[in-house]
Amino acid sequence: MIPEPTATAASRPSEQNENSQDEANSSGAVNHSEDESGNENRQKSVRRRKRAHKGSENVKQKRAKAGCSGVRRAGGSPRKKRHVEAVTLFEVITMGRSAMQVVIDDWIEAYIRDRDSSLLDLISFFIQCSGCKGVVTAEMCQSKEDTDVMSKMVEEMDEVAGLQYKKFLAFPWILTVTWPMDTDSVEYPLIQSGPYGRWFHSEFCDFVSVLVAQCQHSVIFDSYLMNTLISLLTELSNSYIRAFRHTCTLAAVKLLSSLVGVALCLSVSIENSQKLYEVQKSKTMRQKSTLQLDRIQKTITELQEKRAEIESMMDIVFKGVFLKRYRDVLPEIRSICMEELGLWMKRYSSAFLNDSYLKYMGWMMHDKDRMISMTLDKDNEVAVQTMKLLVLISRTSDDVLSPEDYKRLLQFVYSSQRPLAATAGELLYSRLLNTVAPASDTQDEMNEEETHKQQTFIKLKALLQFYQESELHKHVVYLVDSLWDCGGALLKDWPTLTSVLLQDPSSQSPGLTQAEQAVLVEVLVASVRQASEGPALAGRSGAKKVMSAREKKILVDDSAKLTEHLLTVLPKLLTKFSSSCDIVSSLMKIPQYFLTECPEAENTQAVSSLMTEIGAVLELHSDPAVLEAAARTYLSLCGEETAGCSTARAARDSLVQRWVDHLTALLGDSLKGDSLSSDKEKTGEILATLKKLRAFHNCHDLSRWNLFTLLSPLLSVESSQGGALPEVLSEVLQCLCYSMLWSLNTSSETLTSREKAASQRLQLRLFCERGHSCLSHSDQEVRQQAFLGICDVLTAHSYQLHVWDPTSFGPLLYTPSPKLQRALLNFVCVHVFVGPDCDSQGSVSENSEVERLEDLHKRRNLLAAYCKLIVHGVLEMSMAAEVFMYYRKYYNDFGDIIKETMYRTRQTDKIESARTLVLCLQQLFVRLKREQESGGRAHPGVQTFTSIKELARRFALTFGDLFKFRECVVMIHRNSIEFVFQEFSQTPDTPTPPYLSYLTILSEFSSKLLKPDKKTVLSYLQKHTAEHIINLREECWQPLIYYRASLLAVAEGEDAVSYVSSDRKPHMPNRSPFSKQKLEGGKSPCPSNPADSKDSKVHRSSFSPSHQEKTPDMDPFSVPVEPPAKRLNIEASVLSTGSEADEDTVEIEL
């Protein structure tokens, strides 16, 4: 709201005579004080709800009193009466539409009695709605053509008074509005954020429409009210002040919309009267009444004159407001104008739907490039509405958008925002897929089914061509999702899709190419997924999160249809495309979306046929994509609730048994003692069989085939002369890992005796030992797989120990050896945190960037696996210190993983977690110190002092809740002080502790100390410095000064740098937590008697402000008190300057 100005209203005529009423009509002023404006808007919104229950009687009473309020105010009526009558039209907005109608009726009655004073009330209403609570002065104007009057219409500033003035003509009034100069920088009601702004907009528009609706049968045609109102809104809408311009433009266009409603009512009345006239005219001479005809004709003439007058008002508003504001600098004003113009064209097409008005629409939409670029707007709703408009333009006229424009717009089907993608899908469907195929010579001979199939084939051809021409995107699921709402009938036509795939090319029908067949299979799979699961897609937002009952029923029906059809057709498709690895890997995903309870799924013959074809495909292919799809399909079909699960399980067991037997035979021939000797063909068969077992073991429990015993000997031959190939070792490691995971997962069922538990622990130890040896393998893939396997198995073992029921047998405790723990930590440091900086990669090619991202993904997996060992307590929390060291340096690549590890460890043990952070910083500092002392070449693992300090700052930022982590922060300071001063013996050669500069790093945590704790930390610091001679003027002691300053500056809200650099005494008496005390005769903040110092409670109470009473654990470490004499002597030598202090006083700080 615009604040009230300091100016007062213009003086009123003071004469109290018989002509005072006439003078009030010719000159008046309204001062919008806070009382007259009905207090603030928030209070009005509450008052509005209360008044709504009281009915309209109270409103009538108030308006009856205030009907001539303008006259009484102008005539100088008593202050008390004027305060009671100050119910302005602005307050009416807060009362709702029903009360609004009653009050406006009362205002019309008051207007009929005294139109000038009532008009002043209406004028002040629009001024207030603009957010101005200033002064409005009105005076009468005799003629519009007076040149002297028109020259006074100004809008200027008075910089001395800080006010702005606008004088304008609202004939027959000359109005002067005064308001502060900063009007344009504050919010006015229309743009206020939150519900109030939206509510005010609606209520303000309702007021204008109700005003016109209630006046349409009376005062609207008096040539006075509308002339003044239109003149007022026209003048204020031309103001350079945004509040006036925006509010009054909205009022003017809403006024025109209301006048359109009046004109429509008059047109209906004219039409009815003309029909009545024709009926009377068609009567016979005996029945015809000339008098009645004349009366009807007179009514028609009057209605036509009224409509002409209304249309004249509309034309004045259009030319005076719309023509000046539809190109306003503010987009809100432009959108208001164009939105209302469209409404006028729709409602009153006979007057507005012509070239005179359509040209403005064309001018605003002529910038086609701008409209296309708006589809990239950061506001998703703007982009969606723009795309919808372009779709409408495309449907009405094809030549507006060029082929290049269509090419740009159609790429939005791959957008991550589903509403925008779905709208682009409508454009794609209407542009390319909704075309009717031209009639061929043989079309008459074809039946309806063949015609439908041919038209569907043409649409699919167009869709496949569009997808293949898309150079930037290869995401079929996104394309299908975008077309689902408009082209669902095409995409769910699975009989036609499969028939197109199964048909063989001929001379009459060339069919599809192999590439098109592969794409169509992906479209088929994507449509099956969409019909089964709905529009939820990873990476695409904006879809409905909760489906209605109707949508769920559609999903069930579609799932039943696709299950019924594809269960019988899928084996044929697998047979036809069995040689294509990519196609069969996509086709084998389809059974995962079958409806489990579908009656058709109980068809044992169909299920058996499908299992046979899948088994035949697996005999031909060992590609990871094919194996994974097959394993997941078997998992879906073997579920307990799936119809025909027994058939699927039998087929799966038969496959696994055949693979195990084949692998046993191959290993029996190749594995001899400690060596593996086999030719290239046998090695290939071993590798292919291992891949199949590994893929299925990932989804299925194959424990009964005892793969661990079968495959574990392969790890022991790795270092022999005939060592296994790296590919074989990688598959063996994964199989053994899955075997251990399944064994641990089913411990509650399988471990029925202690012997079985001991056997399981033996296998776990064996796997970790063999995996440990593989961590140093020459092949990177083997090393990474061994690391991931060990981490996953140890994590699963820890989890089982936590959820194990003590009443039954469970896994026995196994702790990895220290050697293995060090090997895991070393592996992370060597293979995860590689390179000087992950962010400085420079410009690389596209292939290199892809390879870098893949490598980064692998390293993130390695780090996450190690961090899980820390979080689950497999490794000591202190072993995370090496990982935390890289938090700042590799923040972009691994910052989220390391930060989550800090959060999880802090939940487990916040003290130990904080101690790990301290250990991390201390190790980095010690390494830097040794590197500097050695003077050798910088080691890549050593960070600079600035980097360590920045790392400490980031660590400190993780302690958000100071009360929650109070003990942690205090422990950090205590531990660090001990680290700096412990075992330090001061000598002339070593005047300062070697690690003194670490205090500068520690100061980053000072801001996280509570006020009581900083005093305790400062006392603890002085305890460690008491035995040493410290000269604060020497530069070598600057870290101590900096750290002490950080502790003291925290209390005053400063930082250490500003505190140290400020011009103050070194002892800084005004920063002391205690006031200056004289050594003789003054009260000391600590016990003056050595006997008193023995009582630690007394000592602690001397550091306890009122806050400490609320926190009983304030003193995290009980610091013993030094004898006063000794402490004062040390503090005097350390903290006072001597020359600047008084001779008879010593200023003491604790």
Side-chain angles (χ1 to χ4, degrees), residues 568-585:
T568 58
V569 177
L570 186 57
K572 301 177 183 178
L573 292 173
L574 290 173
T575 302
K576 179 177 180 180
F577 298 104
S578 59
S579 59
S580 176
C581 181
D582 295 335
I583 293 180
V584 294
S585 64

Side-chain angles (χ1 to χ4, degrees), residues 668-890:
D669 296 337
S670 304
L671 188 60
K672 297 178 181 179
D674 294 338
S675 63
L676 180 68
S677 58
S678 61
D679 54 15
K680 187 175 181 180
E681 182 179 356
K682 283 188 177 180
T683 303
E685 293 182 10
I686 292 174
L687 182 60
T689 309
L690 283 172
K691 287 182 177 179
K692 296 173 184 178
L693 289 173
R694 184 260 308 160
F696 271 69
H697 210 349
N698 186 19
C699 301
H700 305 266
D701 184 9
L702 307 182
S703 301
R704 58 175 168 158
W705 282 277
N706 201 7
L707 293 179
F708 191 92
T709 305
L710 176 64
L711 300 178
S712 57
L714 288 174
L715 295 180
S716 61
V717 302
E718 185 275 323
S719 58
S720 304
Q721 183 178 0
L725 293 176
E727 296 86 353
V728 174
L729 280 179
S730 178
E731 296 295 334
V732 169
L733 285 168
Q734 291 186 64
C735 283
L736 295 179
C737 176
Y738 296 148
S739 179
M740 288 304 309
L741 292 177
W742 278 108
S743 175
L744 292 169
N745 186 54
T746 58
S747 296
S748 59
E749 303 172 3
T750 59
L751 299 184
T752 57
S753 63
R754 184 172 182 82
E755 289 74 14
K756 291 184 178 181
S759 175
Q760 184 191 72
R761 183 170 63 176
L762 181 63
Q763 287 185 349
L764 179 60
R765 180 184 294 111
L766 179 61
F767 175 77
C768 291
E769 291 175 355
R770 300 287 172 83
H772 184 190
S773 62
C774 292
L775 291 177
S776 58
H777 195 276
S778 58
D779 186 75
Q780 181 182 4
E781 185 68 25
V782 175
R783 294 195 302 266
Q784 293 183 355
Q785 190 55 54
F787 179 84
L788 291 174
I790 294 173
C791 292
D792 290 343
V793 169
L794 291 176
T795 302
H797 177 260
S798 174
Y799 174 76
Q800 290 299 327
L801 290 176
H802 283 86
V803 300
W804 170 53
D805 184 6
T807 60
S808 61
F809 288 98
L812 298 179
L813 178 63
Y814 170 74
T815 303
S817 63
K819 186 177 180 182
L820 177 58
Q821 296 184 29
R822 289 193 299 269
L824 293 175
L825 177 58
N826 182 67
F827 186 91
V828 170
C829 296
V830 173
H831 296 90
V832 174
F833 303 106
V834 294
D837 195 347
C838 292
D839 302 330
S840 57
Q841 297 294 333
S843 58
V844 293
S845 63
E846 183 178 354
N847 293 334
S848 300
E849 181 66 16
V850 172
E851 293 176 359
R852 189 187 73 84
L853 292 177
E854 290 180 354
D855 179 66
L856 176 60
H857 179 68
K858 292 180 180 179
R859 290 190 289 138
R860 284 176 60 86
N861 286 340
L862 296 175
L863 179 60
Y866 180 81
C867 290
K868 283 190 288 186
L869 296 179
I870 304 293
V871 171
H872 289 275
V874 179
L875 302 179
E876 293 291 337
M877 201 177 294
S878 59
M879 297 194 70
E882 288 285 344
V883 175
F884 294 164
M885 292 178 183
Y886 301 97
Y887 178 59
R888 188 203 65 83
K889 186 176 182 181
Y890 291 89

Side-chain angles (χ1 to χ4, degrees), residues 527-537 547 555 559 562 592-593:
S527 66
V528 168
R529 187 214 66 82
Q530 188 92 1
S532 176
E533 296 182 350
L537 272 179
M547 291 187 293
L555 283 183
S559 299
L562 69 90
Q592 301 172 23
Y593 306 107

Side-chain angles (χ1 to χ4, degrees), residues 370-377 379-395 401 405-415 417-428 430 482:
R370 169 62 181 149
M371 290 183 62
I372 294 176
S373 66
M374 286 176 67
T375 55
L376 296 170
D377 196 278
D379 189 339
N380 296 327
E381 187 61 26
V382 172
V384 171
Q385 295 301 327
T386 304
M387 183 64 73
K388 288 182 178 179
L389 178 59
L390 292 171
V391 170
L392 291 175
I393 294 174
S394 173
R395 289 175 179 173
L401 300 175
D405 296 333
Y406 281 113
K407 186 176 180 181
R408 291 173 57 187
L409 294 175
L410 293 180
Q411 293 300 315
F412 282 97
V413 295
Y414 300 107
S415 171
Q417 294 294 325
R418 192 178 191 278
L420 179 60
T423 310
E426 293 181 19
L427 181 62
L428 173 62
S430 61
S482 302

Side-chain angles (χ1 to χ4, degrees), residues 221-238:
F221 299 104
D222 67 350
S223 300
Y224 188 78
L225 169 64
M226 294 305 296
N227 290 349
T228 305
L229 183 58
I230 292 174
S231 178
L232 168 74
L233 297 179
T234 301
E235 289 294 333
L236 288 179
S237 65
N238 289 335

